[in-house]
Amino acid sequence: MRLSVVGCGYLGAVHAAAMAELGHDVVGIDVDARKVAQLSRGEAPFFEPGLQELLLAGLRSGRLRFSADPAALSSADLHFIAVGTPQLSGGAGADLSYVDAAFAQVLAHGKDGDIVVGKSTVPVGTVERLSGTIGRDAPRVTLAWNPEFLREGHAVADSLTPDRLVFGVAGGSRDDAAAAALAQVYEKPLRDGTPLIVTDWATAELVKVAANAFLATKISFINAMAEIAEATGADVTQLADAIGHDARIGRRFLNAGVGFGGGCLPKDIRAFQARAVELGLAETVVFLDEMDKINLRRRSRVVELAGELLGSGPAGRRVAVLGLAFKPDSDDVRDSPALEVACALRAAGAEVVAADPHAAANARARDPELVTVDSADEALVGAELVILLTEWREFTELDPERTAALVSGRRIIDGRNVLDPEAWIGAGWQYRGLGRR
Ligand code: UDX
């Protein structure tokens, strides 16, 4: 099929390359000419395992190309909208200006019979609103929403072999032209047994928001238990193991620590609340405000623990921060708990030296005064306190004896509860996990 993907960020670049891998002819469109040039050379503009290889394979096959000119989408018959929906500056709701602009571009360069499929995460009611903006002179297009569930760090696998597909089409009928076209787009994963739900626009929009709200709630629930554990001498990791054995609960996404961040979960739960207020349903999702607060409290808790461990507070003390990305295998620092803690400690006067294998440049772009180094060892030398905030493998595998020889004070905060406390305590360290004895 001939496809276009409008927006080549964390979502669109991977989606475009994945669609070419599935055998389609794809043009990826982005307003950023530098990014388009990079993608066209087969260079991933951000760190995502496997993306570089997928891009190169697509470009070599001749089925994948990129353009900064929106007119290039006219060569396709089905257009994916994959632009960002960040939090509004100065508000909790989603900024839909990029979605609106992308939709206008597709209408400007598309033709009668084209299919327009949104992938971006949008508040419920957006597709209905977009369909109402189609002018009389615009081409007659069919509109659908096909929410994306990819996780950064696993985006390639999530795109090629998704755990489910959701097609939101007008009226929710499988007979809809867009449902049939999407079934062709995803013919391979569907043949391989990927579950498919064909539904209406509103449900498709809500599925994504509900999934992220649920995941955020699960993480904040266990972090609330961590707060209780801290006050009572219980251990939240054992608690999570014990309740996670109940198949109805499940152990995944029950890792207590410094909490969730990134470009999705935080802004999605805020946008959901903003939309609920518009719908007169503020009370229905008021719990999400608590989830957000629990999550943000974990960041302050780490800063507080740092002060406690250092005795006289962080001012003038050398602190090694391990990790800046919001999670491992990503260079994304949007709403990153790790970056926020590093900046808060620096603001409190600490001499912070941070290491992250891939996110240091993005972190410095947000906070140019942040001191970053290339390796954990460089950050550790002379540190009076070590704080692990992103569970990159090279940090979780640190040896307590070897690390002790580098630092000037054996104090460690395990912000992700991934180290073995006994091993660290045995090597003479003062160890603090979050919600751990
Ligand atoms: C999320 C959703 O998982 C994905 O389906 C959606 O498409 C986009 O948003 P992503 O933002 O890539 O994906 O990250 P995810 O793996 O969900 O992690 C989110 C945050 O939660 C990270 O900061 C992670 O460190 C944190 N987390 C995750 C925890 O603190 N504890 C856990 O148990 C799991």
Side-chain angles (χ1 to χ4, degrees):
M1 296 178 79
R2 301 189 306 174
L3 313 177
S4 80
V5 178
V6 183
C8 293
Y10 284 100
L11 160 61
V14 181
H15 186 65
M19 291 300 101
E21 179 72 15
L22 292 184
H24 305 298
D25 280 318
V26 186
V27 58
I29 313 275
D30 200 285
V31 287
D32 182 344
R34 215 178 120 246
K35 193 189 280 180
V36 165
Q38 264 181 301
L39 287 163
S40 303
R41 290 194 298 270
E43 291 167 19
F46 48 88
F47 178 73
E48 179 62 49
L51 176 57
Q52 189 95 9
E53 293 77 2
L54 202 66
L55 279 172
L56 286 170
L59 292 167
R60 266 191 228 114
S61 73
R63 289 194 301 270
L64 180 62
R65 67 190 172 96
F66 295 92
S67 174
D69 179 5
L73 65 80
S74 60
S75 63
D77 312 307
L78 187 148
H79 313 279
F80 285 108
I81 292 178
V83 292
T85 52
Q87 187 172 338
L88 280 169
S89 59
D95 177 354
L96 295 173
S97 57
Y98 305 102
V99 168
D100 292 354
F103 187 58
Q105 275 180 357
V106 171
L107 291 183
H109 300 286
K111 56 191 178 302
D112 282 349
D114 278 4
I115 292 169
V116 186
V117 182
K119 291 202 78 68
S120 310
T121 303
V122 292
V124 59
T126 302
V127 193
E128 184 82 50
R129 179 180 63 77
L130 287 176
S131 84
T133 66
I134 303 177
R136 234 187 280 150
D137 300 335
R140 278 196 294 279
V141 298
T142 306
L143 190 49
W145 222 256
N146 164 222
E148 183 57 59
F149 304 102
L150 66 78
R151 299 158 299 164
E152 289 177 30
H154 304 269
V156 169
D158 287 349
S159 300
L160 291 174
T161 51
D163 51 15
R164 79 286 214 190
L165 285 163
V166 176
F167 302 165
V169 297
S173 161
R174 275 180 184 257
D175 301 331
D176 183 272
L182 282 168
Q184 234 181 305
V185 169
Y186 294 108
E187 194 267 335
K188 181 167 187 319
L190 288 172
R191 187 164 20 97
D192 293 343
T194 302
L196 168 65
I197 287 140
V198 180
T199 182
D200 51 82
W201 290 337
T203 307
E205 292 166 319
L206 269 173
V207 166
K208 174 57 188 280
V209 181
N212 277 355
F214 191 88
L215 293 171
T217 301
K218 201 168 176 190
I219 300 168
S220 277
F221 174 83
I222 202 65
N223 280 330
M225 296 305 107
E227 288 186 359
I228 307 273
E230 276 157 22
T232 55
D235 186 306
V236 76
T237 58
Q238 289 181 324
L239 173 80
D241 289 343
I243 63 173
H245 279 300
D246 183 332
R248 293 169 303 175
I249 296 174
R251 180 63 179 81
R252 294 177 73 188
F253 266 67
L254 276 186
N255 295 321
V258 70
F260 59 79
C264 295
L265 261 46
K267 63 107 177 153
D268 285 351
I269 60 170
R270 291 168 199 154
F272 199 5
Q273 291 171 75
R275 184 68 185 122
V277 169
E278 286 171 4
L279 293 167
L281 294 169
E283 276 181 32
T284 308
V285 292
V286 79
F287 69 97
L288 290 177
D289 189 43
E290 286 307 319
M291 299 307 138
D292 204 4
K293 286 181 182 146
I294 293 166
N295 191 51
L296 297 177
R297 273 207 300 275
R298 292 287 81 191
R299 303 175 187 190
S300 340
R301 176 65 184 143
V302 173
V303 176
E304 192 182 283
L305 263 181
E308 276 174 31
L309 270 180
L310 287 167
S312 55
R317 313 293 291 275
R318 173 82 188 263
V319 178
V321 164
L322 302 183
L324 291 165
F326 83 104
K327 69 180 214 181
D329 292 321
S330 169
D331 63 2
D332 196 347
V333 296
R334 287 176 294 170
D335 215 328
S336 167
L339 179 59
E340 191 175 322
V341 168
C343 291
L345 285 169
R346 206 172 58 71
E351 197 191 310
V352 172
V353 182
D356 189 289
H358 289 278
N362 283 345
R364 281 196 314 272
R366 302 246 163 178
D367 179 1
E369 285 176 42
L370 186 70
V371 176
T372 63
V373 288
D374 290 335
S375 68
D377 279 11
E378 284 171 83
L380 291 166
V381 171
E384 296 170 76
L385 169 67
V386 181
I387 314 184
L388 191 161
L389 293 168
T390 314
E391 64 275 40
W392 289 96
R393 174 112 68 98
E394 56 220 85
F395 302 153
T396 63
E397 288 179 347
L398 279 177
D399 175 56
E401 302 277 358
R402 197 185 152 274
T403 308
L406 297 172
V407 298
S408 70
R410 297 183 191 189
R411 303 178 188 91
I412 187 158
I413 299 174
D414 180 1
R416 292 289 177 184
N417 290 338
V418 285
L419 302 174
D420 174 4
E422 278 178 29
W424 287 79
I425 293 164
W429 287 78
Q430 264 183 283
Y431 169 95
R432 293 280 189 288
L434 292 181
R436 273 177 135 176
R437 273 191 298 278

